[in-house]
Amino acid sequence: MTFFRKLQRSLLIAVALILVAYAGVNVPLGDQASAATNLQVHFIDVGQADSFLVQLPNGQNMVIDAGNNADGTAVVNYLKGKGVTRVDYLIGTHPDEDHIGGLDDVIKNFTIGKLYMPNITKTTITYTDVINAAKAKGLAITQAKSNTTILSTTANSLTLKANFVAPVATSYSLTNDYSGVIRLTYGTTNFMFSGDAEHNSEADMVASGQTLSANILKVGHHGSRTSTTDAYLNKVNPSVAVISCGAGNSYGHPHAETINKLKAKGIKIFRTDQQGTIIFTTTGSGWVVNKAPWWQ
């Protein structure tokens, strides 16, 4: 690449990030927008599963879920490709295979700071593999539950905080409702990662009095009609929604009811099944995205 091409690209990136300082605009932009002073959230395309990499502006890394068992190597390679050598905060939202399947691979391949999982076990080989991998590295499991702070600090003189807002209750009939739901704040930009939390957990979050508002919502349970109640959606009040699901999945995710709710509120929609991996970059005020919305 010539000097002038490099200069042109640098100027374009600078202009995009200046725009971000004023509004939450969605400017299609590649990974070049990342920098040590920004927060970057990668909604990794792992098919009918969840996996997210959060590269924090203080230099730390957070990984939320790691796809199915078959996705473990792909997730590890993705993290390594982004320069990750240490995962400071590793979170398994709940013990279903499509969320913790690759978690043992992440544990084996990286230095891990803290490991969070909710207080529910599952008698599966997948769950046992994660527990054994954690034990082999001497990792204790910190319980994921509401009003638990993951980190609270400042970066570039801005608030940087992540905390669990669910599960609120100590017991649920559905495994999905035990999902560790995470609210992430950097400056005035907020993300909500809903896991597979369904109606009961959403109702508990709404009734809890915790702050749930977020600009960007990771839609619960892959866009299933069993999540994203009106009350929860109104409380979060996002301007952007991201749905992580697999193309042509047997569940019919995302369900039309969820898509219609989001559209009715004018919420921009991104989908990994249609668009692949989606990356948000924020200076703490507004954001840029590497893809245009699937619907806006």
Side-chain angles (χ1 to χ4, degrees), residues 180-191:
V181 177
I182 301 126
R183 184 174 185 266
L184 172 68
T185 296
Y186 180 43
T188 59
T189 303
N190 301 280
F191 294 80

Side-chain angles (χ1 to χ4, degrees), residues 128-256:
T128 301
D129 285 345
V130 174
I131 297 304
N132 288 342
K135 285 180 178 177
K137 278 202 167 179
L139 291 174
I141 298 175
T142 300
Q143 186 178 345
K145 60 180 180 179
S146 65
N147 292 303
T148 297
T149 299
I150 301 168
L151 78 153
S152 182
T153 185
T154 60
N156 308 307
S157 301
L158 299 174
T159 298
L160 176 62
K161 183 176 181 180
N163 63 288
F164 288 104
V165 294
V168 175
T170 57
S171 178
Y172 289 100
S173 59
L174 299 175
T175 300
N176 284 345
D177 280 328
Y178 282 90
S179 289
V181 177
I182 301 126
R183 184 174 185 266
L184 172 68
T185 296
Y186 180 43
T188 59
T189 303
N190 301 280
F191 294 80
M192 183 76 85
F193 300 89
S194 300
D196 277 0
E198 298 194 22
H199 292 180
N200 286 337
S201 177
E202 289 183 349
D204 286 344
M205 283 186 273
V206 170
S208 70
Q210 299 174 96
T211 300
L212 302 179
S213 59
N215 309 104
I216 297 132
L217 170 67
K218 198 294 290 188
V219 176
H221 199 190
H222 317 287
S224 171
R225 65 175 67 92
T226 61
S227 300
T228 319
T229 57
D230 291 332
Y232 180 68
L233 190 57
N234 289 339
K235 198 73 173 177
V236 178
N237 193 29
S239 57
V240 173
V242 182
I243 300 172
S244 180
C245 62
N249 67 84
S250 60
Y251 304 98
H253 294 159
H255 289 147

Side-chain angles (χ1 to χ4, degrees), residues 100 104 122-134:
I100 65 164
D104 56 327
K122 206 165 186 180
T123 55
T124 61
I125 293 173
T126 298
Y127 180 78
T128 301
D129 285 345
V130 174
I131 297 304
N132 288 342

